Amino acid sequence: MNGSRLNEKMIAASLEAMEESGAEALMLFVDAVGDWSAWRVIPDLKRLIMVTRDPDTEKELASMGFKAVIKLPDVNLTRLGQVKLAVIKGLDHGVIGNSGRVVCLTGLKGSGIVDTMMVLDLETEEEVFTARGISKELLDRLSTHVLESVLNLALELAGEGREGKSVGATFVIGNHEKVDKFSRPLIMNPFKGYPEEARNILDEAMHETIKEFALLDGAFIIREDGVVMAAGVHLDAALEREGHMPGLGCRHMAAAGITDVTDAVAITISGSTGTVRIFRKGAVIFELERPV
């Protein structure tokens, strides 16, 4: 069976799955599809969410009447990794709700075919993320752009490393005044004294600086609006629940602890495995394996 024929069958099966499951949207990873005409058979483009890593493709799709276009960072991800990240960005952008169902069609970039279909119930799904953590309350409190920017940066660091080595890092976002009470500097703060507009995570020119400082021990502290308050910070909060998160190291226990005693969110990169995790209220709510 050629790629075009398989794509037609997969899309037809996904439309049937949408009807059977009552899904609110279909996510299609267009980077895997060689022939874009495949998606033109979908009757209601307003229920179609297009996902791409390519900025030119994003621009081309933006004005074509879709429910949404989601741009993933330009790092290699597994099929499940693509789904995980697209779903959390869909929630972040408000184009899907955390209590609905979504059908996802994905495949390898450049393969010309979509070869994997997943039907996700976001209210109960645990493999992709813990839905209770990615709540409307969280997304209302934190800037969605800040959360997405830090997550993209963490994925890039996990995939690229630094100076030929794997990098472990922790980013604590939000409630920085309370975070300060449960932390202490390990070094002189390299961000102190600079104007706020010059140290905002939303400025992509800052990302190389962040990557360099990621080689330092300690965490980054980031305000809700994206201003980087400090780097090289030791988190003193300890998770009090015994036996929680077996197998995770000190970095992850510190991230869990600081989110347990404050209302902050923490994003970590494992120095040994490259896995990126989001912590909230002392628990992992999202996990993405090292890009391949």
Side-chain angles (χ1 to χ4, degrees):
M1 182 183 297
N2 63 36
S4 296
R5 182 63 176 154
L6 178 59
N7 287 336
E8 290 174 6
K9 285 185 172 293
M10 290 291 288
I11 289 175
S14 69
L15 293 174
E16 185 176 345
M18 287 182 71
E19 294 306 314
E20 291 289 332
S21 65
E24 63 178 275
L26 169 63
M27 279 189 170
L28 175 61
F29 294 77
V30 294
D31 295 350
V33 182
D35 181 7
W36 281 26
S37 65
W39 55 258
R40 296 185 187 278
V41 302
I42 299 173
D44 186 1
L45 297 186
K46 293 181 180 179
R47 297 176 68 192
L48 181 60
I49 300 173
M50 306 296 264
V51 183
T52 181
R53 284 168 43 188
D54 184 72
D56 292 332
T57 302
E58 179 190 23
K59 290 176 183 177
E60 190 170 350
L61 293 169
S63 60
M64 297 177 69
F66 300 107
K67 178 181 174 69
V69 178
I70 293 175
K71 171 69 168 62
L72 299 185
D74 192 17
V75 296
N76 291 326
L77 297 168
T78 63
R79 292 170 178 82
L80 181 57
Q82 291 172 354
V83 170
K84 286 182 176 182
L85 192 54
V87 167
I88 197 173
K89 289 200 171 194
L91 288 165
D92 197 18
H93 294 174
V95 297
I96 56 174
N98 61 2
S99 60
R101 291 187 176 92
V102 179
V103 176
C104 302
L105 272 182
T106 185
L108 294 178
K109 181 179 181 181
S111 65
I113 58 173
V114 284
D115 56 17
T116 303
M117 180 174 69
M118 298 179 67
V119 181
L120 304 177
D121 184 337
L122 302 184
E123 189 170 18
T124 60
E125 178 61 45
E126 294 185 355
E127 186 176 0
V128 173
F129 62 87
T130 303
R132 65 178 179 276
I134 310 292
S135 63
K136 184 177 185 300
E137 175 268 328
L138 170 63
L139 298 176
D140 285 344
R141 187 171 51 79
L142 279 183
S143 163
T144 58
H145 299 298
V146 171
L147 184 63
E148 183 172 327
S149 183
V150 177
L151 184 57
N152 286 352
L153 184 56
L155 287 167
E156 290 172 8
L157 269 171
E160 301 166 2
R162 209 66 181 162
E163 298 181 358
K165 299 179 181 178
S166 298
V167 173
T170 302
F171 303 88
V172 182
I173 312 166
N175 205 5
H176 69 281
E177 293 180 347
K178 191 169 183 181
V179 170
D180 283 344
K181 297 178 182 179
F182 294 95
S183 60
R184 53 188 167 85
L186 292 172
I187 59 170
M188 293 181 66
N189 181 6
F191 292 97
K192 187 175 182 179
Y194 288 90
E196 291 190 353
E197 61 271 17
R199 50 189 170 99
N200 197 300
I201 199 81
L202 296 178
D203 182 358
E204 290 190 7
M206 267 283 294
H207 288 193
E208 285 302 312
T209 300
I210 295 288
K211 290 177 182 179
E212 287 296 325
F213 286 134
L215 295 171
L216 300 171
D217 289 335
F220 292 88
I221 308 300
I222 302 172
R223 207 166 65 190
E224 288 89 344
D225 59 0
V227 174
V228 182
M229 306 302 292
V233 173
H234 183 273
L235 303 174
D236 291 328
L239 193 66
E240 296 179 356
R241 283 168 273 176
E242 295 182 1
H244 193 61
M245 296 187 304
L248 296 185
C250 295
R251 174 178 291 108
H252 302 94
M253 296 304 292
I258 199 68
T259 62
D260 196 39
V261 298
T262 71
D263 203 24
V265 172
I267 297 179
T268 64
I269 309 167
S270 169
S272 57
T273 67
T275 300
V276 174
R277 296 179 175 91
I278 301 179
F279 290 80
R280 187 167 189 242
K281 297 183 178 179
V284 177
I285 62 172
F286 177 80
E287 182 173 288
L288 194 62
E289 300 78 9
R290 183 197 295 274
V292 294

